Amino acid sequence: ISRIPNVDVYQFLLADVLKKNYPFGKNVDLVITTSTHFAELEKAVVQASKITRIVLTPTQNTVAELAKLACGTRIGVLCASEVFANIIHKSCVMLSGKQPDMDIRLFGQHEDIPAFLSERQVLILPQNYLQFCSQQEEKAIYNFRTEGKQVVSYEYQVDGGSFLYLEEQIEKV
Protein backbone atom coordinates (compact mmCIF):
# COMPACT_ATOMS: atom_id res chain seq x y z
CA ILE A 1 0.00 0.00 0.00
CA SER A 2 2.84 2.38 0.82
CA ARG A 3 4.11 1.94 -2.76
CA ILE A 4 1.02 3.63 -4.22
CA PRO A 5 1.99 7.15 -5.39
CA ASN A 6 0.86 10.11 -3.24
CA VAL A 7 -0.24 7.90 -0.34
CA ASP A 8 1.00 8.23 3.22
CA VAL A 9 0.41 5.19 5.41
CA TYR A 10 0.12 5.26 9.19
CA GLN A 11 -0.34 2.16 11.29
CA PHE A 12 -2.44 2.00 14.44
CA LEU A 13 -2.81 -0.91 16.81
CA LEU A 14 -6.35 -2.22 16.64
CA ALA A 15 -6.57 -2.44 20.43
CA ASP A 16 -5.79 1.28 20.76
CA VAL A 17 -8.42 2.26 18.22
CA LEU A 18 -11.05 0.04 19.86
CA LYS A 19 -10.41 1.47 23.35
CA LYS A 20 -11.46 4.95 22.28
CA ASN A 21 -14.08 6.35 19.99
CA TYR A 22 -11.17 7.04 17.72
CA PRO A 23 -11.33 10.41 15.96
CA PHE A 24 -9.12 10.08 12.91
CA GLY A 25 -8.08 13.56 11.85
CA LYS A 26 -9.20 15.53 8.85
CA ASN A 27 -6.00 14.46 7.08
CA VAL A 28 -7.14 10.83 7.07
CA ASP A 29 -9.01 10.00 3.90
CA LEU A 30 -9.31 6.22 4.32
CA VAL A 31 -9.06 3.77 7.19
CA ILE A 32 -8.02 0.37 5.88
CA THR A 33 -8.67 -2.81 7.82
CA THR A 34 -9.17 -6.48 7.20
CA SER A 35 -12.57 -8.05 6.73
CA THR A 36 -11.90 -9.86 10.02
CA HIS A 37 -11.86 -6.59 12.00
CA PHE A 38 -14.24 -4.47 9.92
CA ALA A 39 -17.40 -4.86 12.04
CA GLU A 40 -15.75 -4.06 15.37
CA LEU A 41 -13.80 -1.16 13.88
CA GLU A 42 -16.93 0.25 12.28
CA LYS A 43 -18.48 0.57 15.76
CA ALA A 44 -15.40 2.25 17.24
CA VAL A 45 -14.50 4.86 14.64
CA VAL A 46 -16.27 8.22 14.53
CA GLN A 47 -16.00 8.51 10.73
CA ALA A 48 -17.05 4.92 9.94
CA SER A 49 -17.73 5.88 6.32
CA LYS A 50 -13.96 6.24 5.83
CA ILE A 51 -13.35 2.55 6.57
CA THR A 52 -12.60 0.18 3.73
CA ARG A 53 -11.86 -3.51 4.07
CA ILE A 54 -9.33 -5.64 2.34
CA VAL A 55 -8.43 -9.32 2.31
CA LEU A 56 -4.99 -10.43 3.41
CA THR A 57 -3.47 -13.72 2.32
CA PRO A 58 -0.29 -15.47 3.43
CA THR A 59 2.70 -14.75 1.20
CA GLN A 60 3.99 -17.47 -1.11
CA ASN A 61 7.01 -17.91 1.15
CA THR A 62 4.78 -18.43 4.20
CA VAL A 63 2.62 -20.94 2.35
CA ALA A 64 5.72 -22.82 1.17
CA GLU A 65 7.20 -22.94 4.69
CA LEU A 66 3.95 -24.16 6.24
CA ALA A 67 3.41 -26.73 3.48
CA LYS A 68 6.86 -28.22 4.16
CA LEU A 69 6.03 -28.99 7.80
CA ALA A 70 5.90 -32.75 8.28
CA CYS A 71 2.83 -34.35 9.79
CA GLY A 72 3.39 -34.77 13.52
CA THR A 73 5.81 -31.84 13.82
CA ARG A 74 5.36 -30.20 17.22
CA ILE A 75 4.47 -26.60 16.32
CA GLY A 76 4.42 -23.63 18.66
CA VAL A 77 2.67 -20.38 17.85
CA LEU A 78 3.44 -17.13 19.65
CA CYS A 79 1.29 -14.16 18.69
CA ALA A 80 -0.65 -11.22 20.12
CA SER A 81 -4.26 -12.36 19.65
CA GLU A 82 -6.50 -15.40 19.54
CA VAL A 83 -7.85 -14.18 16.21
CA PHE A 84 -4.41 -14.25 14.61
CA ALA A 85 -3.64 -17.61 16.24
CA ASN A 86 -6.82 -19.01 14.66
CA ILE A 87 -5.80 -17.66 11.25
CA ILE A 88 -2.45 -19.43 11.54
CA HIS A 89 -4.15 -22.63 12.70
CA LYS A 90 -6.61 -22.57 9.79
CA SER A 91 -3.75 -22.04 7.32
CA CYS A 92 -1.91 -25.08 8.69
CA VAL A 93 -5.06 -27.23 8.53
CA MET A 94 -5.80 -26.07 4.98
CA LEU A 95 -2.28 -26.84 3.78
CA SER A 96 -1.91 -30.22 5.48
CA GLY A 97 -5.51 -31.40 5.46
CA LYS A 98 -5.01 -32.55 9.06
CA GLN A 99 -5.07 -31.14 12.57
CA PRO A 100 -1.52 -30.01 13.36
CA ASP A 101 0.19 -30.78 16.67
CA MET A 102 0.01 -27.10 17.58
CA ASP A 103 0.16 -25.27 20.86
CA ILE A 104 -0.54 -21.55 21.06
CA ARG A 105 0.67 -18.90 23.49
CA LEU A 106 -0.09 -15.19 23.48
CA PHE A 107 2.65 -12.66 24.11
CA GLY A 108 2.68 -11.35 27.66
CA GLN A 109 0.26 -13.92 29.04
CA HIS A 110 2.54 -16.83 29.91
CA GLU A 111 5.46 -16.88 32.28
CA ASP A 112 7.44 -19.88 31.11
CA ILE A 113 7.95 -19.38 27.39
CA PRO A 114 11.35 -21.17 27.44
CA ALA A 115 9.68 -24.35 28.75
CA PHE A 116 6.95 -24.02 26.13
CA LEU A 117 9.53 -23.65 23.34
CA SER A 118 11.64 -26.54 24.61
CA GLU A 119 8.76 -28.88 23.70
CA ARG A 120 8.36 -27.50 20.15
CA GLN A 121 10.24 -28.27 16.94
CA VAL A 122 8.94 -25.32 14.95
CA LEU A 123 7.84 -21.87 16.03
CA ILE A 124 5.46 -19.72 13.99
CA LEU A 125 5.58 -15.97 14.65
CA PRO A 126 3.88 -12.93 13.13
CA GLN A 127 6.25 -10.95 10.92
CA ASN A 128 6.19 -7.99 13.34
CA TYR A 129 6.49 -10.02 16.54
CA LEU A 130 9.06 -7.69 18.15
CA GLN A 131 6.29 -5.10 18.58
CA PHE A 132 4.47 -7.47 20.91
CA CYS A 133 7.00 -9.56 22.81
CA SER A 134 8.77 -8.84 26.07
CA GLN A 135 12.54 -8.97 26.45
CA GLN A 136 12.21 -12.40 28.09
CA GLU A 137 10.13 -13.68 25.16
CA GLU A 138 12.56 -12.17 22.65
CA LYS A 139 15.47 -13.90 24.39
CA ALA A 140 13.61 -17.24 24.43
CA ILE A 141 12.92 -16.90 20.68
CA TYR A 142 16.58 -16.06 20.05
CA ASN A 143 17.66 -19.15 22.01
CA PHE A 144 15.16 -21.28 20.07
CA ARG A 145 16.76 -20.11 16.80
CA THR A 146 20.32 -20.66 18.02
CA GLU A 147 19.41 -24.25 18.94
CA GLY A 148 18.87 -24.77 15.21
CA LYS A 149 15.11 -25.08 15.46
CA GLN A 150 12.92 -23.73 12.67
CA VAL A 151 11.18 -20.37 12.97
CA VAL A 152 8.49 -19.55 10.40
CA SER A 153 7.54 -15.91 9.95
CA TYR A 154 3.80 -15.78 9.16
CA GLU A 155 3.76 -12.98 6.60
CA TYR A 156 0.77 -11.77 4.68
CA GLN A 157 -0.01 -9.49 1.78
CA VAL A 158 -2.98 -7.69 0.32
CA ASP A 159 -4.95 -10.01 -1.97
CA GLY A 160 -4.76 -9.00 -5.63
CA GLY A 161 -8.46 -8.21 -5.97
CA SER A 162 -8.42 -6.22 -2.74
CA PHE A 163 -5.45 -4.24 -3.98
CA LEU A 164 -7.29 -3.25 -7.16
CA TYR A 165 -10.34 -2.27 -5.10
CA LEU A 166 -8.14 -0.23 -2.76
CA GLU A 167 -6.53 1.61 -5.67
CA GLU A 168 -10.03 2.53 -6.90
CA GLN A 169 -10.99 3.80 -3.44
CA ILE A 170 -7.84 5.91 -3.25
CA GLU A 171 -8.51 7.41 -6.68
CA LYS A 172 -11.98 8.50 -5.48
CA VAL A 173 -10.48 10.45 -2.57
Side-chain angles (χ1 to χ4, degrees):
I1 297 171
S2 61
R3 289 180 269 154
I4 299 173
N6 303 314
V7 172
D8 293 324
V9 177
Y10 302 94
Q11 293 183 19
F12 297 88
L13 291 177
L14 180 64
D16 292 342
V17 175
L18 295 178
K19 285 180 191 172
K20 312 161 190 158
N21 196 359
Y22 211 85
F24 286 102
K26 293 178 184 175
N27 294 335
V28 174
D29 298 312
L30 281 177
V31 176
I32 302 166
T33 189
T34 63
S35 52
T36 305
H37 300 297
F38 180 79
E40 60 186 330
L41 192 60
E42 190 175 38
K43 295 174 189 170
V45 173
V46 174
Q47 305 99 327
S49 62
K50 292 184 174 189
I51 302 172
T52 190
R53 61 186 132 188
I54 58 173
V55 174
L56 297 177
T57 58
T59 62
Q60 288 181 340
N61 187 53
T62 297
V63 169
E65 290 296 315
L66 295 177
K68 287 192 284 187
L69 296 177
C71 189
T73 301
R74 295 184 319 274
I75 302 168
V77 175
L78 267 174
C79 61
S81 74
E82 290 285 342
V83 171
F84 196 69
N86 289 333
I87 290 168
I88 292 171
H89 183 263
K90 285 179 186 176
S91 292
C92 289
V93 170
M94 182 187 72
L95 289 167
S96 70
K98 299 178 182 172
Q99 283 295 334
D101 179 2
M102 181 180 287
D103 200 2
I104 296 166
R105 297 287 187 276
L106 300 181
F107 290 118
Q109 294 189 3
H110 298 279
E111 297 271 330
D112 202 359
I113 295 299
F116 163 69
L117 293 178
S118 71
E119 299 172 357
R120 305 285 118 193
Q121 297 168 293
V122 174
L123 176 62
I124 302 174
L125 296 167
Q127 64 189 19
N128 57 348
Y129 74 93
L130 289 173
Q131 293 178 8
F132 305 107
C133 70
S134 68
Q135 287 181 337
Q136 177 196 11
E137 292 164 336
E138 183 179 357
K139 184 178 179 183
I141 294 165
Y142 174 80
N143 291 339
F144 185 86
R145 282 183 204 271
T146 59
E147 291 170 7
K149 295 183 178 179
Q150 182 182 359
V151 176
V152 176
S153 178
Y154 192 94
E155 299 174 359
Y156 43 87
Q157 61 194 4
V158 177
D159 170 79
S162 287
F163 191 78
L164 291 173
Y165 171 75
L166 186 57
E167 285 183 316
E168 290 173 5
Q169 296 304 308
I170 290 169
E171 285 177 16
K172 290 179 184 177
V173 175

